[in-house]
Amino acid sequence: MPTIEGSILAMLTALGLISAAGAQDAGAPSREQIEKALPKPPYSPYANRDFPTRPFFGDTHLHTSFSFDAGAFGARLGPRDAYRFAKGEQVTASSGQPAKLSRPLDFLVVADHSDNMGFFPDLLGGKPEVLADPTGRRWYDMIQSGRGAEAAIDIIFSFTQGTYPKDLIYAPGTRAYRGAWQETIKAAEEANDPDRFTAFIGYEWTSTTAGNNLHRNVIFRDGGDKASQVEPFTTTPPLGSDNPAELWKWMEAYQNKTGGSVLAIAHNGNLSNGLMFPTVEAFGQKLDREYAETRMRWERLYEATQTKGDGETHPFLSPNDEFANFERWDFANLDASVPKTKEMLEFEYARSALKNGLKLGQTLGVNPYKFGLVGSSDAHTALSALEEDNFFGKTTPGEPSPERLHATFVDNPKTGIKIMDWQVSASGYAAVWARENTREALWDAMQRRETYATTGPRMLVRFFGGWDFVPQDANTRLPAQTGYTKGVPMGGELRAAPQGKAPSFLVAALKDPLGANLDRYQIVKGWVSKDGNVEEKVYDVAWADAERRKPEADGRLPPVGDTVDVANATWTNTIGAPELATVWTDPDFDPGQPAFYYGRVIEVPTPRWAAYDAKRFGVQPLPGTPMTVTERAYTSPIWYTPQ
């Protein structure tokens, strides 16, 4: 690595201020020469900045009535309504009540299912071709008689189990399908308002064979001029496939045809029953370097938290992590047809995938799981309403009502698995560090993984890694200036440690202006040990009330406290801190071990959406219903590679 003096000498030589020969002299250059040669920084510390200065918050995963399951559940709002709501307008929810966000979002992806896109409006309208099919007629009669939720479950189960009637499949190439896709594009084009609000064109590819979730959201960087040249990829043969490798081929074909760009975001590994993050084979093919390169190319992000559970880690996988038991959905696969076993968990969660990715990187030469993190909703209501006190549920039957605290979300009589509405999580949002609010800038930031996931609050989180950070770097109101100068941001990579140095991390977090104070900032590390095992450790690096709260003998930090008044669904910000910042250096660093690091920011406890419902509707929650929540954010990792 060149020295600072060497760099200055080279620059001065290039500028002609000293000769090449003079550059070899021990006494050259003088301080005066250096000061004259170097450009002076402007008085304004904000001038000439060329890095992202704010995070943009949005949802990369929202369904409307154009999705056949959302429509059957009762969603009557379409893509245009979804964009209006995300922009901050008040709308009337499908349940008939007014809905509005506390603050507008910065961007939104309407990601309706590609399979059978546009089918439900025809089913609801009683289209003769749909009613001519006995199953179509049965579903129509169920919806008309007020049994829409039951019809939705039946539709989903028939799709996941491969019994969906062939005559009811809305496939690419048909007029109805093409029309639905064009309406989706048109809604995004009308809503897109560069520098104010970004409406991405996208869809969800919904591989759910045998009920195992391998879903991906596909997001276009482009406008309708390019997106309209294709139709979405589906899972239904012969035009579609349930194999992600075939989706990647479709994505490559799109880019080759149009010159555009797309990326895919997987989600809900916790419902894949061990298939989301394979380490040996996928769809009967042994994992090889080509698989790793292809997956890493197209899947730069992973949706780590959403309404169907948190996907960061699991207590079984991270027994020493006191915050691992968070909004768990570990019952079964997507349709609850196959119960979960502990052996499946390792291949379902983000942290274990990141760890296994390090090991695969050593054996395959490429790490297939070098992904960043985002959160999003997967709401099927057209409403990205994920705040605990403004939660409009996952589906229309789960929109606010006196009944939802006691309602059943999924009930599979064959397996006896039942999931209640109170187990649905009010999560999450994607935060993207970009230079401006445009499709191109946001998509590019996603591609470089400069993102983080939040379970709902819009906290501001910074995470930089490098070799030269010092404690004083955290004592500034502009940590990014130093972060980008000395290191790499979240999603970046560090290579080949300088002799005698360990990586240091400049971290900072600022509370959501409307939300709770912060409890702590943690750094999660994963690495491959010398014996080839994958390891992990969670470090508390900055926390509130540091003078009083000292780590105990076992290294654990005492709890921050709890001010939640459950009965009144309130809390006070008398504990915690509005901001946290520090520089932390890895005390256990081994320059020969591949590793990753990511930040996790924990808020002080606040009322969960169930507490707000109990208060507002005067309903007694069912036993076991959690009434408080510790909201959080997860940054994309920074990877260390020895060579």
Side-chain angles (χ1 to χ4, degrees):
M1 179 176 291
T3 64
I4 294 176
E5 182 184 40
S7 298
I8 294 174
L9 287 170
M11 182 187 68
L12 291 173
T13 302
L15 292 173
L17 296 180
I18 59 175
S19 68
Q24 308 299 323
D25 296 339
S30 70
R31 181 182 182 87
E32 188 174 287
Q33 286 177 304
I34 294 174
E35 290 180 347
K36 287 182 178 180
L38 292 176
K40 292 184 178 180
Y43 174 84
S44 171
Y46 312 107
N48 301 329
R49 290 194 301 185
D50 189 29
F51 55 80
T53 57
R54 58 161 288 193
F56 295 94
F57 292 94
D59 189 347
T60 63
H61 187 181
L62 182 69
H63 295 271
T64 76
S65 61
F66 278 34
S67 289
F68 66 98
D69 54 348
F73 269 118
R76 299 295 177 263
L77 303 182
R80 286 179 175 80
D81 302 303
Y83 288 123
R84 287 176 49 227
F85 181 77
K87 284 181 163 185
E89 292 186 37
Q90 180 170 308
V91 303
T92 300
S94 299
S95 54
Q97 52 192 315
K100 188 176 182 179
L101 290 172
S102 66
R103 295 155 287 177
L105 294 178
D106 297 307
F107 66 90
L108 175 66
V109 183
V110 169
D112 282 314
H113 297 298
S114 60
D115 282 276
N116 296 304
M117 183 180 289
F119 165 74
F120 184 78
D122 286 351
L123 173 65
L124 183 66
K127 189 175 182 180
E129 295 90 332
V130 174
L131 299 187
D133 183 272
T135 304
R137 166 60 72 174
R138 178 166 57 84
W139 288 340
Y140 175 81
D141 291 341
M142 292 170 70
I143 293 168
Q144 295 303 313
S145 64
R147 297 159 58 205
E150 185 181 341
I153 295 297
D154 194 38
I155 291 172
I156 294 169
F157 195 82
S158 69
F159 178 73
T160 60
Q161 298 301 315
T163 60
Y164 195 94
K166 291 184 179 180
D167 289 343
L168 296 182
I169 293 175
Y170 274 42
T174 63
R175 179 179 297 177
Y177 191 93
R178 182 69 174 175
W181 178 233
Q182 290 300 323
E183 280 298 303
T184 299
I185 292 173
K186 188 176 181 180
E189 294 289 74
E190 291 173 355
N192 194 51
D193 188 6
D195 292 325
R196 293 181 177 86
F197 180 84
T198 294
F200 282 104
I201 298 169
Y203 67 88
E204 180 175 354
W205 175 79
T206 318
S207 175
T208 324
T209 302
N212 299 323
N213 184 101
L214 290 175
H215 301 181
R216 269 82 167 168
N217 294 319
V218 177
I219 303 176
F220 293 75
R221 185 180 188 268
D222 316 304
D225 57 330
K226 293 181 179 179
S228 62
Q229 296 181 39
V230 298
E231 292 178 358
F233 192 62
T234 68
T235 66
T236 308
L239 298 177
S241 171
D242 62 352
N243 187 340
E246 296 302 315
L247 172 66
W248 303 332
K249 290 179 182 178
W250 179 93
M251 295 169 70
E252 183 171 21
Y254 166 79
Q255 292 196 169
N256 290 339
K257 177 179 181 178
T258 68
S261 299
V262 284
L263 59 77
I265 304 176
H267 63 90
N268 279 122
N270 60 324
L271 301 177
S272 72
N273 273 10
L275 298 181
M276 181 59 77
F277 300 113
T279 58
V280 178
E281 66 174 29
F283 284 79
Q285 298 294 316
K286 186 176 181 181
L287 265 61
D288 56 16
R289 185 184 181 97
E290 182 181 3
Y291 174 92
E293 288 177 338
T294 306
R295 182 160 183 164
M296 187 180 70
R297 177 186 178 189
W298 298 113
E299 301 191 3
R300 304 286 289 176
L301 299 176
Y302 180 68
E303 185 180 294
T305 187
Q306 63 133 270
T307 48
K308 297 197 302 297
D310 194 78
E312 184 216 3
T313 192
H314 187 282
F316 178 75
L317 303 171
S318 304
N320 297 320
D321 183 351
E322 62 187 300
F323 292 100
N325 188 18
F326 179 71
E327 297 290 333
R328 280 194 291 132
W329 269 49
D330 55 1
F331 318 104
N333 54 356
L334 182 63
D335 61 6
S337 60
V338 180
K340 186 76 63 190
T341 66
K342 290 183 177 179
E343 292 73 25
M344 299 173 181
L345 298 174
E346 178 184 349
F347 312 103
E348 298 188 343
Y349 286 83
R351 189 186 300 176
S352 55
L354 291 168
K355 291 193 298 182
N356 285 335
L358 294 175
K359 196 167 184 179
L360 287 170
Q362 292 182 317
T363 58
L364 302 179
V366 177
N367 179 351
Y369 305 134
K370 193 174 282 188
F371 51 75
L373 301 178
V374 294
S376 281
S377 72
D378 196 9
H380 282 53
T381 60
L383 305 174
S384 292
L386 285 311
E387 295 163 308
E388 302 290 338
D389 66 347
N390 191 36
F391 181 46
F392 269 72
K394 176 172 174 58
T395 63
T396 294
E399 292 181 3
S401 74
E403 292 76 37
R404 72 170 171 177
L405 276 183
H406 296 169
T408 300
F409 181 70
V410 174
D411 186 1
N412 191 321
K414 293 183 179 180
T415 59
I417 295 173
K418 181 183 287 190
I419 304 172
M420 306 301 292
D421 252 12
W422 61 258
Q423 292 172 298
V424 174
S425 179
S427 184
Y429 285 132
V432 179
W433 284 103
R435 290 175 174 83
E436 58 187 9
N437 189 0
T438 63
R439 283 172 174 165
E440 297 79 12
L442 293 175
W443 193 96
D444 290 348
M446 295 180 193
Q447 180 72 2
R448 66 176 182 266
R449 303 174 297 221
E450 198 168 352
T451 64
Y452 59 96
T454 164
T455 57
R458 304 189 199 182
M459 59 185 83
L460 188 154
V461 182
R462 286 290 198 183
F463 184 59
F464 296 96
W467 305 107
D468 300 310
F469 292 120
V470 294
Q472 298 93 306
D473 291 333
N475 300 330
T476 173
R477 304 311 302 168
L478 300 173
Q481 186 76 52
T482 302
Y484 286 105
T485 301
K486 288 186 175 183
V488 298
M490 58 185 77
E493 300 183 58
L494 299 173
R495 292 183 177 273
Q499 185 68 33
K501 287 195 173 185
S504 55
F505 297 87
L506 172 59
V507 306
L510 186 66
K511 70 178 288 293
D512 182 332
L514 301 184
N517 280 341
L518 307 178
D519 170 9
R520 65 189 75 187
Y521 197 128
Q522 301 178 308
I523 289 181
V524 179
K525 178 186 177 183
W527 71 95
V528 180
S529 65
K530 292 180 179 178
D531 57 9
N533 293 324
V534 287
E535 309 285 351
E536 68 173 61
K537 188 172 182 179
V538 180
Y539 300 86
D540 293 308
V541 301
W543 56 90
D545 200 5
E547 292 184 1
R548 178 182 62 86
R549 298 170 67 201
K550 303 294 183 182
E552 297 173 350
D554 60 0
R556 289 186 180 271
L557 192 65
V560 69
D562 189 338
T563 67
V564 177
D565 179 348
V566 171
N568 291 302
T570 60
W571 89 100
T572 64
N573 264 337
T574 54
I575 58 173
E579 61 180 350
L580 298 169
T582 195
V583 169
W584 176 82
T585 301
D586 182 0
D588 306 308
F589 180 64
D590 184 330
Q593 295 176 345
F596 66 81
Y597 305 80
Y598 67 86
R600 183 172 67 179
V601 181
I602 307 291
E603 280 189 354
V604 302
T606 52
R608 193 170 178 268
W609 70 264
Y612 288 105
D613 270 27
K615 170 65 176 176
R616 289 171 178 171
F617 296 119
V619 177
Q620 186 67 28
L622 295 173
T625 303
M627 305 298 279
T628 64
V629 64
T630 50
E631 304 273 21
R632 56 198 62 194
Y634 313 121
T635 77
S636 292
I638 292 173
W639 288 266
Y640 167 71
T641 304
Q643 66 276 4

